[in-house]
Amino acid sequence: MGSVKKVLFMFACLSLALLLPENTIMADEKNFVVQINITGGNGEYVVDILDDQYYAEMKPTIFVNTDLDGDLVKVVDENDKEMPSVLVNGEVSFTVSKGGKYFITKGTKRNTPEGKTKRNTTPKYVMPKTGVE
């Protein structure tokens, strides 16, 4: 009887692991999943976001863990347009309105979003919903 419970427990864990999305980030307090691929290191990162029609409406904030020090960061899109961004404890955050490639490097000036105060803590990660309640 004990081995049946172990097999059922392992099956349940495997099923849950298969349902969890890989390389996804939950947008600010909304049930909206951004499909993202992050590459790079040593102070240079490429964030590739699959395009979705809802980004313009939802404007999700992306959080990327980096090895950057300090609080100055530069985020540019594929058209070399600089994006408002914030660096706190190595974590870069910026808001997107469309998919595409975004490039993160060390900044030389502050480029925080207008009307927002600079955050000084790392936000809590919220696990995406899997459809299993």
Side-chain angles (χ1 to χ4, degrees), residues 59-133:
K59 294 189 181 5
T61 298
I62 307 298
F63 297 93
V64 180
N65 287 319
T66 69
D67 60 0
L68 297 173
D69 291 333
D71 60 355
L72 300 178
V73 66
K74 182 177 182 180
V75 178
V76 296
D77 65 10
E78 38 194 19
N79 298 322
D80 206 31
K81 178 184 174 203
E82 193 166 350
M83 311 286 297
S85 55
V86 177
L87 174 64
V88 175
N89 298 330
E91 185 179 66
V92 177
S93 64
F94 59 100
T95 301
V96 298
S97 60
K98 64 178 181 172
K101 288 191 185 297
Y102 297 86
F103 303 92
I104 300 173
T105 58
K106 183 73 175 162
T108 57
K109 63 178 182 169
R110 293 209 191 288
N111 190 14
T112 55
E114 290 182 26
K116 292 190 177 182
T117 57
K118 184 181 179 312
R119 66 182 172 90
N120 55 12
T121 59
T122 303
K124 180 181 171 189
Y125 177 75
V126 179
M127 195 67 147
K129 293 194 178 202
T130 61
V132 178
E133 297 294 327

Side-chain angles (χ1 to χ4, degrees), residues 21 24 40:
T24 59

